[in-house]
Amino acid sequence: MSTDYTASALAAGDSVRIVAVRSTNLVVQAQQRHDCSPTVTAALGRLLTGAALMGTFLKGRERITLQVWGDGPVRGLLANVVPGGRVRGYPLRPRADVPLNPRGKFDVAGLVGRGSLHVTRTFDSGLPYTSAVPLASGEIGDDLTHYFAHSEQIPTVVGVGVLAGPAGVIAAGGFLAHLLPGAREDTIALLEATVARLPHPSSMIKGGMSPEEIIARVGDNLAPRVTHVAPVQFACTCSRERVTRVLIGLGPAELRQLANAEQETEVTCDWCGQRYCFAPAEIAELLQASQERESM
Ligand SMILES: [Zn+2]
């Protein structure tokens, strides 16, 4: 399978930014790590693809977290991206599922229900800023478009898609185009008209199109110029060391209980599904070490 990456471009005399991504492996990873149902794979895959696109705006220690909360069976979807195209995410209820919609497609809107999209941007300083918008349709792509238009007041077109069959994910990808200062007002209408004529993003990926070729289609008539490409992967920031710190944070009483238990203590990372196991003897050592530190 080809590797995942984003391509970023400037178009229309540097007044439009266009980003495209191939995210097939990212979505395969998410599906496998969380054992997602087909519709959850489509929903989470679209959100992860959106996160990968938005991740191209980041630098330094910045990060973006997307949260979709709804009254549908999946309840919630989360995605997070840091610079370097490192994306992770999880569904609240991975096995939730709904029948195909009347058009024979994954009913992502039905799975998500009515609710809201929360976007948290954490800046280099570490300060987070969250804004929320009601879900436009629950189809994720529309919701991201709505977020850019209403929260950031940046006219944007977003397309994200996951193509899956009985054997799993076949292709995933997307694009995002938005106006920069100085853009002509009719540019967004032009982009919308171009995008409306395009095949679904996952079909373009399945057909073998690269992110650069998708940019060429989205930016048709706007002379796009690719400025850089960057890898994208499913990657989490969890580690045994971090989990150890969380365990110590539980306090001596709780640790003593775990140290005296018969079974291992198992901690699973929500974001990536990685399991960390600690034998009672290891917990006893943590307890002792934390108490020695306290008495110093
Ligand atoms: Zn993790």
Side-chain angles (χ1 to χ4, degrees):
M1 207 179 279
S2 318
T3 53
D4 290 346
Y5 68 96
T6 51
S8 304
L10 291 168
D14 295 357
S15 68
V16 175
R17 175 155 55 182
I18 309 175
V19 191
V21 65
R22 177 165 61 214
S23 54
T24 310
N25 294 308
L26 173 65
V27 180
V28 167
Q29 279 280 320
Q31 192 279 327
Q32 290 174 349
R33 285 170 179 273
H34 301 299
D35 189 24
C36 299
S37 75
T39 316
V40 171
T41 303
L44 180 63
R46 289 181 193 176
L47 194 67
L48 291 169
T49 300
L53 291 166
M54 291 171 76
T56 59
F57 310 156
L58 299 177
K59 52 189 185 303
R61 288 160 48 83
E62 294 175 345
R63 57 185 184 271
I64 294 176
T65 302
L66 305 175
Q67 300 175 61
V68 172
W69 301 112
D71 62 4
V74 75
R75 313 308 295 180
L77 299 163
L78 291 92
N80 170 264
V81 59
V82 298
R86 298 165 69 83
V87 186
R88 58 184 180 161
Y90 68 98
L92 246 54
R93 301 213 178 139
R95 298 306 303 164
D97 213 352
V98 291
L100 298 178
N101 68 21
R103 289 175 293 127
K105 307 276 185 199
F106 290 123
D107 187 6
V108 170
L111 183 83
V112 169
R114 284 167 305 180
S116 48
L117 166 68
H118 302 246
V119 178
T120 303
R121 301 185 75 130
T122 305
F123 297 100
D124 225 10
S125 61
L127 280 180
Y129 175 76
T130 300
S131 57
V133 288
L135 292 176
S137 70
E139 294 281 353
I140 311 297
D142 297 345
D143 305 313
L144 291 170
T145 303
H146 183 70
Y147 160 78
F148 279 108
H150 291 266
S151 248
E152 302 215 353
Q153 265 129 48
I154 302 173
T156 305
V157 292
V158 180
V160 286
V162 175
L163 190 66
V169 178
I170 297 166
F175 58 79
L176 184 159
H178 65 205
L179 305 193
L180 298 171
R184 285 170 48 136
E185 275 188 27
D186 58 357
T187 310
I188 197 71
L190 188 69
L191 276 166
E192 282 167 349
T194 308
V195 165
R197 290 193 302 268
L198 288 183
H200 199 261
S202 57
S203 306
M204 292 194 276
I205 296 289
K206 179 174 178 271
M209 282 175 70
S210 65
E212 291 91 333
E213 287 168 321
I214 294 176
I215 285 174
R217 293 292 299 274
V218 172
D220 194 20
N221 299 324
L222 296 176
R225 172 171 62 82
V226 173
T227 53
H228 57 278
V229 298
V232 165
Q233 57 176 316
F234 193 107
C236 194
T237 53
C238 69
S239 65
R240 195 168 176 86
E241 196 191 342
R242 281 190 178 214
V243 175
T244 303
R245 284 204 296 270
V246 171
L247 284 173
I248 292 171
L250 293 174
E254 194 98 1
L255 280 180
R256 201 165 293 121
Q257 227 169 37
L258 296 174
N260 292 330
E262 305 230 317
Q263 309 98 331
E264 292 192 315
T265 296
E266 189 181 291
V267 181
T268 304
C269 174
D270 283 338
W271 285 104
C272 70
Q274 176 73 43
R275 288 199 185 99
Y276 296 92
C277 294
F278 295 82
E282 286 179 273
I283 304 270
E285 275 175 36
L286 290 182
L287 176 63
Q288 203 183 352
S290 68
Q291 285 177 331
E292 277 167 12
R293 249 204 312 276
E294 243 159 58
S295 63
M296 274 191 331

